[in-house]
Amino acid sequence: MIDWLKKGGEVAVYDATNSTRQRRQLIVEFLVDYRTFFVESDCSDPEVIEANIREVKLSSPDYINTDAELAIEDFRRRIRNYEMQYETLEVEHDRDLSFMKICNLGEKFLVNRVQGHVQSRAVYYLMNIHVLPRTIYLARHGETNMNIDGRIGGDDSLSINGQYFERALAKFVKDQKLDDLRIWTSLMKRTIQTVASIDVPKEHWKALNEIDAGACEGLTYDEIKIKFPEEYALREVDKYYYRYPGGESYQDLVARIEPVIMELESQKNVMVICHQAVARCLLAYFLDKGRDDLPYLEVPLHTVIKLTPFAYGCKIESIPLNVTAVNTHHPKPAGLTPLSPEERRIRRKTSSGGGHTAGLLREFSVDPQDTVFDNP
């Protein structure tokens, strides 16, 4: 891990018990050149412990292909062993450490000596997540006439097929019978029109608006290639970091939707009706996709993507609603070689500007000295 940090790694997560103060002090001394931040999850409620074992620990890599009852008994034995020696984090004894203590999965939090951007963002994130069962439904708006014409951006209304999708989506939601469902859309007409017939609470987020194509808004890709040939070429080789003239990059978009992701982590059942680039960012977060894959994730029109997060991943199910729509997906160019960091720095100096700090999607702009430790 230290070798990785020395070679340019930014944030290291050391997933270990670190059960005594002596052991935690050894870690601090060993990592004297790095910032350390301990995270402790302390469960004392028997009902919380039992639910956590059954809903979380059985999905652990430790228990793959293990009988459920044997796995449960083994984990209870682990807990008993830890109870005999574990020394919990306390301000009285550990005031000099940077740490966060989570009690009974969010019933109470104790935060001490938070230092730097990454530690503060980790606290914010951990205070919002929960492990309760939930479903996130993700879909793009219904087809528009601009989609049919191959034009990007804009604020167009639904096409005839888009209106058919709106009705099909309303029936789909009714068939799911989710009493606590909430719907989020962008502020753009096509997303609001898509959920017009669905009678559930709705929220409209500016953060969910489609990526801003700047000077290229309303153009087809062929028109961009003719009118802005250099911009077209730059985007082809560096789609994640490329920023439209006067517009946004995918990196900017990731930073913009961070509040949406945080709020999603704290909700129960939510349906998000958004746009292609936004949906890619949300999918990449829940499916743990990197920046090289994110801009090329396929999110077809008139399809509902059902996401069911669990402790060690996220189940995905694609549900086409059988309404005809154009295909707006542009696959990754064959043989594409990503730009090196040096090539990207040179390009940024000569193009339309530098990049925002990306957000939660594994794109933190961080101090290389930040290190995070997990105390389960």
Side-chain angles (χ1 to χ4, degrees):
M1 186 180 72
I2 298 298
D3 186 55
W4 176 80
L5 286 168
K6 288 180 177 178
K7 289 179 179 178
E10 294 181 332
V11 178
V13 180
Y14 180 37
D15 185 6
T17 308
N18 304 318
S19 54
T20 64
R21 292 191 178 90
Q22 181 181 18
R23 180 166 173 172
R24 292 193 286 267
Q25 186 58 37
L26 284 173
I27 289 172
V28 172
E29 292 172 0
F30 186 70
L31 297 170
V32 66
D33 295 327
Y34 300 89
R35 291 177 183 170
T36 58
F37 182 63
F38 292 91
V39 179
E40 177 180 283
S41 179
D42 181 2
C43 289
S44 57
D45 185 326
E47 291 184 4
V48 172
I49 294 172
E50 185 66 22
N52 184 260
I53 292 173
R54 293 187 176 275
E55 296 174 15
V56 178
K57 299 305 179 184
L58 289 183
S59 302
S60 166
D62 292 347
Y63 296 117
I64 293 175
N65 300 323
T66 302
D67 177 78
E69 292 306 315
L70 291 176
I72 290 170
E73 180 52 36
D74 178 76
F75 198 80
R76 285 176 177 152
R77 189 161 48 248
R78 289 191 193 187
I79 292 174
R80 289 193 294 270
N81 289 335
Y82 285 135
E83 285 175 339
M84 291 187 289
Q85 62 173 325
Y86 194 84
E87 296 174 337
T88 188
L89 288 164
E90 297 175 344
V91 174
E92 179 182 357
H93 300 289
D94 305 296
R95 64 174 62 88
D96 294 331
L97 292 182
S98 296
F99 69 83
M100 178 180 186
K101 182 174 179 177
I102 305 165
C103 301
N104 291 324
L105 300 181
E107 184 181 279
K108 184 171 66 174
F109 300 93
L110 174 61
V111 180
N112 188 66
R113 292 180 64 85
V114 172
Q115 301 178 48
H117 174 75
V118 171
Q119 292 183 15
S120 65
R121 302 309 292 160
V123 169
Y124 178 41
Y125 177 71
L126 291 168
M127 291 182 74
N128 279 277
I129 63 172
H130 66 80
V131 296
L132 298 175
R134 65 203 169 107
T135 301
I136 298 166
Y137 297 93
L138 181 64
R140 292 172 63 188
H141 55 79
E143 179 193 77
T144 69
N145 291 315
M146 287 185 71
N147 290 145
I148 295 172
D149 295 339
R151 300 189 179 279
I152 65 174
D155 193 15
D156 202 9
S157 296
L158 299 182
S159 68
I160 294 298
N161 283 337
Q163 293 171 36
Y164 290 151
F165 174 69
E166 180 256 332
R167 296 167 201 161
L169 185 64
K171 182 179 183 305
F172 172 83
V173 170
K174 184 177 180 180
D175 291 344
Q176 295 301 298
K177 298 179 181 179
L178 295 171
D179 294 334
D180 58 352
L181 181 69
R182 304 183 69 84
I183 289 180
W184 297 354
T185 77
S186 73
L187 296 184
M188 293 183 159
K189 287 188 296 187
R190 53 193 183 272
T191 63
I192 296 172
Q193 290 172 354
T194 299
V195 299
S197 299
I198 304 175
D199 186 21
V200 303
K202 302 183 183 82
E203 297 178 28
H204 309 294
W205 292 66
K206 186 176 181 180
L208 287 173
N209 284 2
E210 180 58 302
I211 191 170
D212 185 351
C216 298
E217 284 276 323
L219 300 179
T220 67
Y221 286 111
D222 286 340
E223 289 171 344
I224 295 171
K225 193 172 184 178
I226 294 169
K227 191 172 182 179
F228 304 107
E230 184 180 350
E231 296 294 332
Y232 182 89
L234 287 170
R235 189 169 190 269
E236 283 288 285
V237 299
D238 201 22
K239 192 173 181 181
Y240 180 82
Y241 289 102
Y242 169 81
R243 178 183 287 133
Y244 284 105
E248 291 179 300
S249 66
Y250 270 95
Q251 187 186 30
D252 297 332
L253 186 56
V254 165
R256 167 153 61 90
I257 69 167
E258 181 181 332
V260 178
I261 291 172
M262 289 292 192
E263 192 64 21
L264 272 175
E265 287 286 13
S266 68
Q267 296 291 317
K268 293 184 179 178
N269 299 315
V270 179
M271 173 173 280
V272 182
I273 305 298
C274 54
H275 308 267
Q276 182 167 245
V278 176
R280 284 170 171 162
C281 293
L282 293 173
L283 272 180
Y285 170 76
F286 284 104
L287 302 181
D288 197 20
K289 300 293 184 181
R291 55 193 168 212
D292 291 337
D293 296 323
L294 183 156
Y296 302 102
L297 294 175
E298 189 166 4
V299 189
L301 288 165
H302 300 176
T303 298
V304 176
I305 298 172
K306 182 178 179 180
L307 299 169
T308 308
F310 57 92
Y312 294 91
C314 185
K315 179 183 176 183
I316 180 170
E317 181 182 358
S318 186
I319 309 170
L321 296 194
N322 300 319
V323 178
T324 301
V326 295
N327 181 7
T328 63
H329 182 68
H330 292 267
K332 192 173 187 177
L336 178 65
T337 302
L339 294 180
S340 69
E342 181 59 28
E343 288 172 326
R344 187 170 292 117
R345 280 193 290 270
I346 293 171
R347 186 190 69 77
R348 284 180 178 175
K349 289 179 181 178
T350 58
S351 66
S352 52
H356 268 33
T357 300
L360 202 60
L361 202 65
R362 325 295 192 259
E363 291 301 330
F364 290 113
S365 176
V366 302
D367 185 331
Q369 294 186 332
D370 280 304
T371 312
V372 180
F373 291 91
D374 181 19
N375 258 12

